[in-house]
Amino acid sequence: MSFFDHLEDLRWHIVRSVAAIALFSIFGFVYTREILDNVIFGPTNPGFPSYGLLCRFSHFLGLGDKLCITPVKVEFQNFKMAGQIMLQFKLAFIVGFTAAFPYIFYEFWRFVKPALKERELRGARGIIFWVSFQFFLGIAFAYFLMAPFTINFLAGYTVTDKAVNQFFMDDYFALMTQIVFGMGVLFELPILVYFLSKVGLITPEFLRAYRRHAIVVILVLAAVITPPDVIDQLIVFVPLYLLYEISIFISRKAVRQMEERDNRPLADDEEEWS
């Protein structure tokens, strides 16, 4: 294919991806009130499922009410004439993009796949499932665990009794989006490490050498998004650290596969083109 043929092919992949986002965005636009009240503002509701589960888990561990969270009453304000309708459009897009993410990556993979060799394709089996699974797993982790801690800590934090905490809806929505999508992207780390290891840009030795630096970064991240309590910080720290260790294991596996391939005797057709 010529350069312009590739551009034409890419254009149709983008068009189909945008169409998928638009289709799911209609659902988000129609059910804006239900999604806002029950999902986006969910962590501000006393009946949010994470609060009861964390409290029961705390009693199961014999910690009493240590992990029990009493939701802070949060009041939202809108001072922009078009604030609420713009929030509706933002919500519709976020819902559309999230729901269409597997299909968007599928279109991206269809565009990239013809450029890969057979051995690279064998190493990428199930990539659409794993990329989508890791993305939604990160979103679930952030929404059900990180968001309740972060929102209640920030909403209840005061330095003076003369000021009342009241928040713009846009600020809350932006914070939720950053937390949820940030963790969705961060949970793609093992997959990213796998491909970077395949091309030789990252090695397990490199990841081990910077393990201490990674621990410090994860501890700082856990301290920022949770209240100043060791147990709460560990709840966030442990999954993120395990994600890093899993990345080291995946990198080692990818490097071992490359070494086995390089040490394997070449077939006649491979010798001809090597």
Side-chain angles (χ1 to χ4, degrees):
M1 295 176 64
S2 67
F3 174 75
F4 290 102
D5 289 334
H6 281 295
L7 285 181
E8 178 67 15
D9 188 38
L10 177 61
R11 183 174 74 89
W12 282 108
H13 287 296
I14 294 175
V15 167
R16 287 190 291 267
S17 298
V18 171
I21 294 175
L23 181 64
F24 286 107
S25 294
I26 295 174
F27 175 84
F29 194 87
V30 172
Y31 294 97
T32 298
R33 182 181 298 274
E34 291 80 3
I35 296 173
L36 277 177
D37 293 345
N38 300 317
V39 180
I40 303 300
F41 294 140
T44 66
N45 299 329
F48 191 65
S50 295
Y51 299 139
L53 291 174
L54 283 172
C55 198
R56 287 194 291 271
F57 182 65
S58 179
H59 287 287
F60 174 77
L61 295 178
L63 299 175
D65 294 336
K66 193 67 175 176
L67 298 180
C68 295
I69 301 176
T70 301
V72 178
K73 183 176 175 58
V74 182
E75 296 181 358
F76 297 104
Q77 298 180 355
N78 172 49
F79 284 102
K80 296 180 180 179
M81 185 67 71
Q84 298 213 29
I85 190 171
M86 290 305 299
L87 180 64
Q88 186 173 20
F89 279 108
K90 292 177 183 177
L91 174 67
F93 174 78
I94 292 297
V95 171
F97 179 83
T98 304
F101 178 81
Y103 181 77
I104 295 172
F105 185 78
Y106 166 74
E107 288 290 344
F108 167 78
W109 180 246
R110 284 183 60 194
F111 178 73
V112 174
K113 186 177 178 180
L116 301 179
K117 298 178 181 179
E118 182 64 28
R119 287 177 298 193
E120 295 170 336
L121 290 174
R122 286 199 300 266
R125 288 176 180 171
I127 186 173
I128 297 174
F129 168 79
W130 286 112
V131 168
S132 302
F133 174 77
Q134 291 293 116
F135 180 73
F136 289 118
L137 182 63
I139 286 179
F141 173 75
Y143 180 74
F144 288 105
L145 194 60
M146 290 179 60
F149 283 113
T150 305
I151 291 169
N152 281 280
F153 173 68
L154 294 177
Y157 189 86
T158 58
V159 294
T160 175
D161 294 333
K162 295 184 179 296
V164 178
N165 283 341
Q166 293 181 330
F167 309 98
F168 292 143
M169 291 188 304
D170 283 347
D171 291 340
Y172 175 87
F173 187 79
L175 177 63
M176 281 289 293
T177 303
Q178 292 170 7
I179 294 174
V180 171
F181 279 98
M183 290 307 300
V185 173
L186 186 59
F187 267 59
E188 302 289 356
L189 178 63
I191 298 174
L192 178 62
V193 166
Y194 176 80
F195 283 101
L196 291 179
S197 299
K198 278 285 190 180
V199 298
L201 294 179
I202 285 182
T203 63
E205 290 75 18
F206 173 85
L207 295 175
R208 292 194 195 98
Y210 285 90
R211 179 187 275 120
R212 294 180 180 178
H213 301 78
I215 291 175
V216 172
V217 171
I218 295 173
L219 282 172
V220 171
L221 180 62
V224 168
I225 63 179
T226 58
D229 184 275
V230 175
I231 295 178
D232 296 339
Q233 292 173 4
L234 284 176
I235 291 178
V236 176
F237 170 80
V238 171
L240 295 181
Y241 177 69
L242 288 177
L243 197 67
Y244 189 83
E245 291 296 332
I246 291 172
S247 298
I248 296 177
F249 170 78
I250 290 176
S251 178
R252 185 169 65 247
K253 182 178 180 181
V255 171
R256 187 182 298 118
Q257 289 176 349
M258 291 178 60
E259 291 175 348
E260 292 176 353
R261 185 196 67 189
D262 294 338
N263 294 330
R264 178 175 58 85
L266 293 176
D268 294 338
D269 57 340
E270 291 178 322
E271 291 179 352
E272 181 181 354
W273 298 102
S274 61

